[in-house]
């Protein structure tokens, strides 16, 4: 469930040799970076998620133990945006192997699946209305296009978020079979297959093995999560 420049990633600038050690220590963290999440990020993830969803839906898509579960089991399907070491936005995903989402998709990771289930996209409250949600989703989908095994991405969202995800290229599949308490959801999908050109040129946008700086970009989006 969920709430550009020509280069996706660029290497962080190294401090000049003439800079004093004290200044170097203050600038060891890139101003902005994107990387896969891990289990150590779980509490920061959950704090952002809880604040973003409890006031709107009354519950969290993923509880803390479920966040830890996915970030331990399949961290490579997550993406976190950090500014000066602070998590400001994130996506958590896993693989799924069926045409439509079922209740099992909320807790399972299917390593042989060709569908990426995006469980959640959330942005820290002090960084909303800055276009970070759309930017992070765009970068995540660019990453998926470089993976030959992935055929599509799916998510479930409340109806008021459908326009937000449409702007990112998602299409409506229909009503989701999953309900939570009295909440119902729309299931949406994004086609990944057929991007041979992107895969042949994936060196430019490959998901980094080490934290890299993220060029700062602003958008005119009015909806952010």
């Amino acid at each position: 469930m969920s709430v550009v420049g020509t280069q996706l990633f660029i290497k962080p600038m190294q401090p000049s040799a003439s800079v004093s050690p004290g200044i170097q220590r203050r600038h060891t963290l890139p101003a902005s970076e994107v990387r896969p999440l891990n289990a150590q990020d779980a509490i920061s993830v959950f704090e952002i998620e809880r604040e973003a969803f409890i006031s709107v839906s009354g519950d969290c898509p993923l509880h803390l133990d479920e966040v830890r579960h996915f970030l331990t089991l399949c961290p490579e399907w997550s993406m976190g945006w950090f500014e000066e070491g602070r998590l400001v936005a994130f996506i958590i995903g896993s693989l799924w192997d069926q045409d439509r989402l079922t209740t099992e998709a909320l807790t399972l990771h299917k390593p042989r699946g060709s569908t990426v289930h995006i469980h959640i996209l959330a942005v820290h409250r002090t960084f909303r209305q800055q276009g970070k949600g759309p930017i992070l989703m765009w970068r995540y989908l660019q990453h998926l296009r470089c993976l030959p095994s992935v055929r599509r991405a799916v998510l479930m969202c409340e109806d008021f978020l459908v326009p937000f995800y449409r702007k990112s290229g998602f299409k409506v599949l229909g009503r989701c079979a999953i309900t939570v308490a009295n909440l119902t959801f729309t299931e949406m999908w994004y086609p990944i297959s057929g991007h041979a050109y992107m895969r042949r040129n994936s060196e430019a946008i490959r998901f980094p093995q080490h934290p890299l700086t993220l060029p700062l970009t602003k958008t005119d989006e009015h909806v952010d999560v």
Side-chain angles (χ1 to χ4, degrees):
M1 175 166 49
S2 338
V3 306
V4 243
T6 57
Q7 288 184 312
L8 186 62
F9 303 108
I10 59 175
K11 293 183 179 180
M13 296 181 61
Q14 298 297 324
S16 170
S18 62
V19 178
S20 69
I23 295 178
Q24 287 186 26
R25 284 196 296 271
R26 288 196 294 272
H27 292 279
T28 53
L29 291 174
S32 188
E33 64 181 11
V34 62
R35 64 165 172 82
L37 297 169
N38 56 57
Q40 286 69 45
D41 299 312
I43 292 178
S44 296
V45 165
F46 184 67
E47 288 176 349
I48 294 174
E49 178 196 13
R50 181 175 55 187
E51 188 279 330
F53 284 90
I54 288 291
S55 61
V56 176
S57 304
D59 197 5
C60 293
L62 298 175
H63 294 159
L64 180 57
D65 58 337
E66 295 167 330
V67 171
R68 286 198 176 107
H69 168 72
F70 284 116
L71 295 188
T72 300
L73 186 63
C74 50
E76 66 275 17
W77 299 105
S78 69
M79 182 178 284
W81 184 339
F82 295 79
E83 293 197 350
E84 297 183 347
R86 180 185 184 186
L87 181 65
V88 301
F90 68 88
I91 291 173
I92 293 179
S94 64
L95 288 180
W96 184 239
D97 60 358
Q98 298 181 31
D99 291 337
R100 299 294 295 268
L101 295 174
T102 68
T103 303
E104 290 184 333
L106 299 179
T107 56
L108 295 184
H109 168 61
K110 299 285 189 174
R112 296 185 178 181
S114 60
T115 295
V116 175
H117 174 203
I118 299 175
H119 294 268
I120 180 172
L121 161 66
V123 177
H124 192 283
R125 64 181 179 275
T126 60
F127 294 90
R128 292 177 195 149
Q129 304 303 321
Q130 299 177 24
K132 284 183 166 53
I135 292 171
L136 187 62
M137 179 61 78
W138 184 89
R139 294 182 186 279
Y140 188 77
L141 296 174
Q142 292 295 321
H143 166 56
L144 296 185
R145 288 188 178 118
C146 300
L147 307 177
S149 62
V150 177
R151 292 292 173 260
R152 63 182 190 143
V154 298
L155 56 83
M156 50 185 268
C157 65
E158 293 183 68
D159 291 348
F160 75 92
L161 285 172
V162 168
F164 172 84
Y165 289 109
R166 281 188 187 275
K167 290 180 180 179
S168 293
F170 283 82
K171 303 175 183 179
V172 172
L173 268 174
R175 301 307 300 175
C176 186
I178 302 171
T179 59
V180 178
N182 62 339
L183 295 177
T184 60
F185 305 95
T186 296
E187 190 168 338
M188 305 186 73
W189 75 289
Y190 182 94
I192 300 295
S193 60
H195 295 278
Y197 175 81
M198 294 295 294
R199 287 170 183 146
R200 286 197 303 268
N201 295 275
S202 60
E203 289 296 326
I205 56 175
R206 181 173 296 172
F207 203 47
Q209 296 180 356
H210 303 286
L212 302 178
T213 59
L214 182 69
L216 296 179
T217 309
K218 294 184 179 180
T219 72
D220 293 326
E221 296 285 355
H222 297 291
V223 182
D224 204 351
V225 294

